[in-house]
Amino acid sequence: MPTLLETAYQAVDEKKGQDIVVLNMEGVSLIADQFIICHANSERQVQAIAREVADKASKNDFEVKRVEGLDNGRWVLVDLGDVVVHVFHKDDRGYYNLERLWGDAPLLNMANER
């Protein structure tokens, strides 16, 4: 059975999330153990990715704590507890630049999870 991180990552990848980055937040933040950050080219795709993450998590018996921003489709946050997924519209990702904000968090290589 895939881990929560693998489940969320695969959902993002399957819905064609762009420039997927996984940050290891352990020891950096109390918010979550990992952040997955990606973007999409339209509000509709942002929403589709977020829904897929929530659906796949639920189907694999992981709790979806909350989903925020789904209506606007510009920045959707899917809180899965230990993993938080940030799905941005391509035009907004650079503005918020979470990778720089959490720059002391090491990157995780998920290439083997594809």
Side-chain angles (χ1 to χ4, degrees), residues 4-104:
L4 175 58
L5 179 61
E6 291 166 345
T7 299
Y9 182 89
Q10 289 168 355
V12 169
D13 191 46
E14 286 171 13
K15 285 293 179 180
K16 309 293 187 230
Q18 301 290 304
D19 194 16
I20 307 168
V21 172
V22 181
L23 300 179
N24 183 356
M25 302 302 289
E26 293 181 59
V28 177
S29 171
L30 300 176
I31 298 170
D33 290 343
Q34 291 95 24
F35 278 1
I36 299 176
I37 305 167
C38 70
H39 70 265
N41 295 325
S42 69
E43 286 93 349
R44 189 178 211 158
Q45 188 185 12
V46 168
Q47 293 164 334
I49 293 168
R51 284 191 186 102
E52 183 73 6
V53 169
D55 290 349
K56 276 215 185 304
S58 292
K59 286 177 186 169
N60 284 286
D61 296 322
F62 296 114
E63 180 185 359
V64 179
K65 296 189 179 292
R66 69 179 181 268
V67 178
E68 296 180 10
L70 192 61
D71 291 342
N72 291 336
R74 302 299 294 184
W75 175 8
V76 181
L77 182 145
V78 183
D79 184 352
L80 304 172
D82 291 341
V83 175
V84 174
V85 181
H86 299 270
V87 186
F88 286 97
H89 186 283
K90 68 177 179 181
D91 296 339
D92 295 332
R93 183 173 182 172
Y95 177 78
Y96 292 103
N97 202 351
L98 294 187
E99 295 95 320
R100 189 174 60 91
L101 179 66
W102 295 103
D104 45 347

